[in-house]
């Protein structure tokens, strides 16, 4: 009977040790990540925030070890939280985070830089302290398809400096001090479908530049400075389905005439 050679035994033992080492590294990495995420969730909730997990996102390791931390963090709402640098550091470890609401928090340009590496798709920054300087930071979050900047101090300079976001579909600038000039730069976002310009200084000339946003479907221009001239430009937006013209200098007759000629477009309107 042939005995296994010592060489074979050495190779087998080496392979076994390598396999054990590899498994140990994976488990250590998993344990470290789990501790970080557990600490992040605890910090978020302690600060008054809310966390939502992605359904069906638990891994085979979760199931194998029956972990009490299952799945990935999909959404975080901090609108009622005390957002500090320490909390942002916890938030920064959530590498799977897709939705983040920071509305009405104290986050500023420096704070935003701490989370710019996250693969966010939806981001709310309305009523925050971010300035035009954050354009370069937000340009790094290329997965964004939903961005709300309502009631901020962002100006035309921000829109000029914001790099093309290839997936951006919904942009909110309600109450921001943007003008017609800033709207010229929105066409660089090829998939923009929804735009809210409520209570801004936008005029008919600004709406004219939006003709270049070929995918635009929903346009909010309530309480702006548009006049009846706006209808000639709205008519040149082939995919438009919803327009809010409330509290503008247009008449009921003009609205009804436009709706009659463009039956697929719904106009919301009431007089000043």
């Amino acid at each position: 009977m042939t005995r296994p050679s010592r060489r074979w035994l050495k190779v087998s033992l080496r392979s076994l040790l390598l396999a054990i080492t590899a498994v140990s590294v994976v488990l250590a990495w998993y344990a470290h990540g789990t501790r970080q995420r557990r600490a992040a969730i605890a910090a978020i909730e302690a600060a008054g925030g809310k966390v939502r997990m992605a359904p069906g996102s638990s891994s085979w390791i979760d199931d194998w070890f029956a972990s009490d931390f299952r799945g990935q963090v999909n959404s975080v709402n901090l609108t009622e939280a005390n957002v500090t640098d320490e909390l942002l550091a916890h938030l920064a470890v959530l590498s799977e985070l897709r939705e983040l609401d920071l509305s009405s928090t104290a986050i500023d340009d420096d704070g935003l830089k701490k989370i710019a590496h996250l693969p966010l798709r939806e981001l709310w920054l309305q009523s925050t302290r971010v300035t035009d300087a954050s354009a370069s930071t937000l340009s790094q979050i290329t997965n964004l398809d939903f961005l709300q900047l309502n009631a901020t101090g962002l100006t035309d300079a921000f829109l000029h400096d914001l790099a093309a976001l290839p997936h951006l579909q919904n942009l909110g600038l309600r109450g921001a001090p943007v003008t017609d000039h800033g709207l010229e730069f929105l066409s660089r976002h090829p998939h923009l479908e929804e735009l809210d310009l409520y209570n801004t200084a936008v005029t008919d000339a600004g709406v004219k530049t939006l003709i270049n946003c070929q995918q635009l479907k929903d346009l909010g221009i309530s309480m702006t400075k548009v006049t009846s001239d706006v209808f000639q430009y709205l008519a040149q937006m082939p995919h438009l389905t919803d327009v809010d013209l409330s509290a503008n200098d247009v008449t009921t007759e003009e609205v009804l005439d436009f709706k009659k000629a463009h039956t697929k477009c719904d106009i919301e309107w009431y007089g000043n």
Side-chain angles (χ1 to χ4, degrees), residues 5 14 18 26 48 56 63-64 101 124 134 154 197 242:
S5 68
R14 186 181 299 115
L18 288 173
V26 170
D63 298 332
W64 187 16
D101 194 342
W124 287 260
S134 281
L154 301 181
L197 297 168
D242 293 273

Side-chain angles (χ1 to χ4, degrees), residues 9-208:
L9 289 174
K10 289 180 180 179
V11 172
S12 297
L13 182 58
R14 186 181 299 115
S15 298
L16 179 60
L17 290 174
L18 288 173
I20 292 173
T21 301
V23 171
S24 298
V25 169
V26 170
L27 294 180
W29 170 82
Y30 170 77
H32 177 67
T34 298
R35 285 194 296 270
Q36 283 189 315
R37 284 168 171 75
R38 185 181 290 115
I41 290 176
I44 290 168
E45 293 179 340
K50 299 177 182 177
V51 175
R52 189 174 73 234
M53 307 298 288
S57 62
S58 61
S59 68
W60 63 270
I61 299 182
D62 294 324
D63 298 332
W64 187 16
F65 287 96
S67 170
D68 62 346
F69 182 88
R70 292 176 176 273
Q72 299 179 332
V73 178
N74 181 70
S75 175
V76 171
N77 186 322
L78 295 173
T79 56
E80 299 180 1
N82 179 25
V83 177
T84 62
D85 287 343
E86 182 180 1
L87 183 61
L88 290 174
H90 280 294
L91 196 66
V93 307
L94 300 178
S95 58
E96 70 276 21
L97 189 62
R98 295 294 185 270
E99 302 173 8
L100 177 59
D101 194 342
L102 288 162
S103 300
S104 303
T105 65
I107 193 167
D108 56 14
D109 299 326
D110 289 334
L112 194 59
K113 290 177 181 178
K114 294 178 172 63
I115 57 173
H117 63 283
L118 297 176
L120 298 172
R121 293 188 57 185
E122 299 186 12
L123 178 59
W124 287 260
L125 290 171
Q126 51 200 21
S127 300
T128 59
R129 300 177 182 178
V130 296
T131 71
D132 292 341
S134 281
S136 59
T137 303
L138 288 171
S139 296
Q140 300 174 41
I141 314 177
T142 56
N143 288 327
L144 281 176
D145 59 42
F146 181 98
L147 179 59
Q148 295 300 302
L149 302 168
N150 304 322
T152 59
L154 301 181
T155 70
D156 295 339
F158 171 84
L159 297 178
H160 174 273
D161 295 337
L162 184 66
L165 295 175
H167 304 292
L168 187 64
Q169 296 182 17
N170 189 312
L171 177 61
L173 293 166
R174 176 179 294 213
V178 296
T179 70
D180 296 339
H181 176 62
L183 302 191
E184 296 176 9
F185 308 108
L186 294 182
S187 60
R188 65 176 57 155
H189 310 296
H191 296 292
L192 187 63
E193 295 182 356
E194 299 182 43
L195 178 61
D196 189 355
L197 297 168
Y198 168 89
N199 194 27
T200 63
V202 169
T203 72
D204 300 324
V207 176
K208 182 179 180 180

